[in-house]
mmCIF file of all heavy atoms in Angstrom:
data_model
loop_
_atom_site.group_PDB
_atom_site.id
_atom_site.type_symbol
_atom_site.label_atom_id
_atom_site.label_comp_id
_atom_site.label_asym_id
_atom_site.label_seq_id
_atom_site.Cartn_x
_atom_site.Cartn_y
_atom_site.Cartn_z
ATOM 1 N N LYS A 105 103.894 -63.116 38.464
ATOM 2 C CA LYS A 105 105.344 -63.260 38.262
ATOM 3 C C LYS A 105 105.848 -62.248 37.249
ATOM 4 O O LYS A 105 106.902 -61.623 37.449
ATOM 5 C CB LYS A 105 105.662 -64.682 37.810
ATOM 6 C CG LYS A 105 105.397 -65.757 38.852
ATOM 7 C CD LYS A 105 105.616 -67.137 38.257
ATOM 8 C CE LYS A 105 105.173 -68.231 39.203
ATOM 9 N NZ LYS A 105 105.343 -69.579 38.620
ATOM 10 N N ARG A 106 105.107 -62.073 36.153
ATOM 11 C CA ARG A 106 105.533 -61.120 35.124
ATOM 12 C C ARG A 106 105.504 -59.695 35.650
ATOM 13 O O ARG A 106 106.360 -58.872 35.273
ATOM 14 C CB ARG A 106 104.624 -61.242 33.894
ATOM 15 C CG ARG A 106 104.860 -62.495 33.059
ATOM 16 C CD ARG A 106 104.152 -62.383 31.715
ATOM 17 N NE ARG A 106 102.703 -62.291 31.863
ATOM 18 C CZ ARG A 106 101.877 -63.344 31.878
ATOM 19 N NH1 ARG A 106 102.375 -64.570 31.763
ATOM 20 N NH2 ARG A 106 100.579 -63.176 32.008
ATOM 21 N N ARG A 107 104.548 -59.388 36.518
ATOM 22 C CA ARG A 107 104.426 -58.015 37.032
ATOM 23 C C ARG A 107 105.486 -57.689 38.072
ATOM 24 O O ARG A 107 106.089 -56.603 38.041
ATOM 25 C CB ARG A 107 103.025 -57.807 37.639
ATOM 26 C CG ARG A 107 102.883 -56.539 38.491
ATOM 27 C CD ARG A 107 103.192 -55.273 37.689
ATOM 28 N NE ARG A 107 103.259 -54.083 38.526
ATOM 29 C CZ ARG A 107 104.356 -53.625 39.115
ATOM 30 N NH1 ARG A 107 105.513 -54.284 38.979
ATOM 31 N NH2 ARG A 107 104.334 -52.510 39.825
ATOM 32 N N TRP A 108 105.718 -58.574 39.023
ATOM 33 C CA TRP A 108 106.530 -58.211 40.183
ATOM 34 C C TRP A 108 107.982 -58.687 40.148
ATOM 35 O O TRP A 108 108.844 -58.025 40.729
ATOM 36 C CB TRP A 108 105.862 -58.724 41.456
ATOM 37 C CG TRP A 108 104.658 -57.923 41.840
ATOM 38 C CD1 TRP A 108 104.561 -56.563 41.885
ATOM 39 C CD2 TRP A 108 103.385 -58.431 42.229
ATOM 40 N NE1 TRP A 108 103.291 -56.189 42.285
ATOM 41 C CE2 TRP A 108 102.537 -57.317 42.512
ATOM 42 C CE3 TRP A 108 102.849 -59.706 42.400
ATOM 43 C CZ2 TRP A 108 101.225 -57.453 42.928
ATOM 44 C CZ3 TRP A 108 101.541 -59.837 42.805
ATOM 45 C CH2 TRP A 108 100.735 -58.723 43.072
ATOM 46 N N LEU A 109 108.266 -59.782 39.503
ATOM 47 C CA LEU A 109 109.633 -60.302 39.586
ATOM 48 C C LEU A 109 110.648 -59.510 38.760
ATOM 49 O O LEU A 109 111.718 -59.164 39.285
ATOM 50 C CB LEU A 109 109.652 -61.781 39.194
ATOM 51 C CG LEU A 109 108.804 -62.708 40.083
ATOM 52 C CD1 LEU A 109 109.050 -64.166 39.704
ATOM 53 C CD2 LEU A 109 109.090 -62.484 41.562
ATOM 54 N N PRO A 110 110.378 -59.179 37.491
ATOM 55 C CA PRO A 110 111.387 -58.451 36.718
ATOM 56 C C PRO A 110 111.828 -57.122 37.328
ATOM 57 O O PRO A 110 113.033 -56.821 37.342
ATOM 58 C CB PRO A 110 110.716 -58.264 35.351
ATOM 59 C CG PRO A 110 109.771 -59.423 35.246
ATOM 60 C CD PRO A 110 109.236 -59.605 36.638
ATOM 61 N N PRO A 111 110.903 -56.277 37.867
ATOM 62 C CA PRO A 111 111.367 -55.011 38.447
ATOM 63 C C PRO A 111 112.297 -55.204 39.649
ATOM 64 O O PRO A 111 113.199 -54.387 39.866
ATOM 65 C CB PRO A 111 110.065 -54.309 38.863
ATOM 66 C CG PRO A 111 109.016 -54.891 37.981
ATOM 67 C CD PRO A 111 109.416 -56.321 37.812
ATOM 68 N N VAL A 112 112.074 -56.264 40.434
ATOM 69 C CA VAL A 112 112.978 -56.536 41.551
ATOM 70 C C VAL A 112 114.344 -56.951 41.021
ATOM 71 O O VAL A 112 115.391 -56.489 41.490
ATOM 72 C CB VAL A 112 112.397 -57.630 42.477
ATOM 73 C CG1 VAL A 112 113.411 -58.022 43.540
ATOM 74 C CG2 VAL A 112 111.117 -57.134 43.141
ATOM 75 N N LEU A 113 114.348 -57.815 40.019
ATOM 76 C CA LEU A 113 115.605 -58.290 39.448
ATOM 77 C C LEU A 113 116.402 -57.156 38.809
ATOM 78 O O LEU A 113 117.631 -57.167 38.833
ATOM 79 C CB LEU A 113 115.327 -59.373 38.409
ATOM 80 C CG LEU A 113 114.752 -60.689 38.936
ATOM 81 C CD1 LEU A 113 114.482 -61.641 37.783
ATOM 82 C CD2 LEU A 113 115.698 -61.338 39.941
ATOM 83 N N ARG A 114 115.702 -56.183 38.237
ATOM 84 C CA ARG A 114 116.390 -55.056 37.592
ATOM 85 C C ARG A 114 116.763 -53.953 38.584
ATOM 86 O O ARG A 114 117.355 -52.947 38.196
ATOM 87 C CB ARG A 114 115.500 -54.465 36.494
ATOM 88 C CG ARG A 114 115.282 -55.387 35.298
ATOM 89 C CD ARG A 114 114.640 -54.633 34.139
ATOM 90 N NE ARG A 114 113.311 -54.133 34.479
ATOM 91 C CZ ARG A 114 112.170 -54.728 34.144
ATOM 92 N NH1 ARG A 114 112.196 -55.881 33.480
ATOM 93 N NH2 ARG A 114 111.010 -54.196 34.472
ATOM 94 N N GLY A 115 116.400 -54.099 39.850
ATOM 95 C CA GLY A 115 116.703 -53.067 40.831
ATOM 96 C C GLY A 115 115.799 -51.854 40.735
ATOM 97 O O GLY A 115 116.158 -50.768 41.182
ATOM 98 N N GLU A 116 114.612 -52.036 40.189
ATOM 99 C CA GLU A 116 113.695 -50.913 40.000
ATOM 100 C C GLU A 116 112.681 -50.775 41.126
ATOM 101 O O GLU A 116 112.160 -49.674 41.351
ATOM 102 C CB GLU A 116 112.956 -51.084 38.672
ATOM 103 C CG GLU A 116 113.872 -51.015 37.463
ATOM 104 C CD GLU A 116 113.196 -51.433 36.174
ATOM 105 O OE1 GLU A 116 112.020 -51.885 36.222
ATOM 106 O OE2 GLU A 116 113.835 -51.340 35.119
ATOM 107 N N GLU A 117 112.369 -51.872 41.810
ATOM 108 C CA GLU A 117 111.382 -51.827 42.894
ATOM 109 C C GLU A 117 111.926 -52.550 44.122
ATOM 110 O O GLU A 117 112.595 -53.575 44.011
ATOM 111 C CB GLU A 117 110.057 -52.457 42.450
ATOM 112 C CG GLU A 117 109.344 -51.638 41.379
ATOM 113 C CD GLU A 117 108.003 -52.228 40.962
ATOM 114 O OE1 GLU A 117 107.720 -53.401 41.312
ATOM 115 O OE2 GLU A 117 107.240 -51.517 40.289
ATOM 116 N N VAL A 118 111.591 -51.994 45.277
ATOM 117 C CA VAL A 118 112.036 -52.522 46.569
ATOM 118 C C VAL A 118 110.815 -52.927 47.381
ATOM 119 O O VAL A 118 109.781 -52.248 47.347
ATOM 120 C CB VAL A 118 112.862 -51.461 47.326
ATOM 121 C CG1 VAL A 118 113.112 -51.872 48.772
ATOM 122 C CG2 VAL A 118 114.191 -51.227 46.605
ATOM 123 N N TRP A 119 110.938 -54.044 48.099
ATOM 124 C CA TRP A 119 109.840 -54.544 48.926
ATOM 125 C C TRP A 119 110.181 -54.446 50.405
ATOM 126 O O TRP A 119 111.351 -54.429 50.799
ATOM 127 C CB TRP A 119 109.557 -56.014 48.585
ATOM 128 C CG TRP A 119 108.846 -56.229 47.295
ATOM 129 C CD1 TRP A 119 109.314 -55.949 46.042
ATOM 130 C CD2 TRP A 119 107.533 -56.780 47.118
ATOM 131 N NE1 TRP A 119 108.380 -56.280 45.091
ATOM 132 C CE2 TRP A 119 107.280 -56.803 45.724
ATOM 133 C CE3 TRP A 119 106.563 -57.270 47.990
ATOM 134 C CZ2 TRP A 119 106.084 -57.294 45.191
ATOM 135 C CZ3 TRP A 119 105.378 -57.751 47.463
ATOM 136 C CH2 TRP A 119 105.144 -57.759 46.089
ATOM 137 N N CYS A 120 109.129 -54.389 51.234
ATOM 138 C CA CYS A 120 109.281 -54.496 52.678
ATOM 139 C C CYS A 120 108.367 -55.613 53.174
ATOM 140 O O CYS A 120 107.564 -56.168 52.418
ATOM 141 C CB CYS A 120 108.961 -53.177 53.380
ATOM 142 S SG CYS A 120 107.257 -52.572 53.159
ATOM 143 N N GLN A 121 108.510 -55.967 54.446
ATOM 144 C CA GLN A 121 107.726 -57.075 55.008
ATOM 145 C C GLN A 121 106.776 -56.568 56.081
ATOM 146 O O GLN A 121 107.207 -55.996 57.083
ATOM 147 C CB GLN A 121 108.650 -58.140 55.604
ATOM 148 C CG GLN A 121 107.892 -59.377 56.073
ATOM 149 C CD GLN A 121 108.820 -60.422 56.663
ATOM 150 O OE1 GLN A 121 109.191 -60.327 57.826
ATOM 151 N NE2 GLN A 121 109.185 -61.420 55.881
ATOM 152 N N GLY A 122 105.472 -56.783 55.892
ATOM 153 C CA GLY A 122 104.453 -56.346 56.845
ATOM 154 C C GLY A 122 103.772 -57.528 57.502
ATOM 155 O O GLY A 122 102.615 -57.836 57.178
ATOM 156 N N PHE A 123 104.471 -58.197 58.388
ATOM 157 C CA PHE A 123 103.908 -59.345 59.101
ATOM 158 C C PHE A 123 103.623 -59.011 60.568
ATOM 159 O O PHE A 123 102.507 -59.130 61.039
ATOM 160 C CB PHE A 123 104.872 -60.544 59.036
ATOM 161 C CG PHE A 123 104.915 -61.251 57.706
ATOM 162 C CD1 PHE A 123 104.167 -60.811 56.628
ATOM 163 C CD2 PHE A 123 105.720 -62.355 57.520
ATOM 164 C CE1 PHE A 123 104.199 -61.457 55.399
ATOM 165 C CE2 PHE A 123 105.765 -63.016 56.302
ATOM 166 C CZ PHE A 123 105.006 -62.569 55.241
ATOM 167 N N SER A 124 104.641 -58.586 61.320
ATOM 168 C CA SER A 124 104.512 -58.382 62.764
ATOM 169 C C SER A 124 103.566 -57.230 63.091
ATOM 170 O O SER A 124 103.430 -56.280 62.313
ATOM 171 C CB SER A 124 105.887 -58.103 63.380
ATOM 172 O OG SER A 124 106.759 -59.186 63.164
ATOM 173 N N GLU A 125 102.948 -57.330 64.268
ATOM 174 C CA GLU A 125 102.040 -56.274 64.727
ATOM 175 C C GLU A 125 102.327 -55.916 66.177
ATOM 176 O O GLU A 125 102.852 -56.744 66.935
ATOM 177 C CB GLU A 125 100.584 -56.725 64.571
ATOM 178 C CG GLU A 125 100.176 -56.920 63.118
ATOM 179 C CD GLU A 125 98.674 -57.082 62.947
ATOM 180 O OE1 GLU A 125 97.949 -57.018 63.964
ATOM 181 O OE2 GLU A 125 98.240 -57.265 61.802
#
Side-chain angles (χ1 to χ4, degrees):
K105 293 175 188 178
R106 287 193 297 269
R107 166 59 189 90
W108 286 313
L109 299 187
V112 173
L113 293 178
R114 292 192 297 261
E116 295 169 355
E117 292 182 347
V118 169
W119 285 65
C120 62
Q121 186 180 82
F123 285 2
S124 300
E125 295 192 1

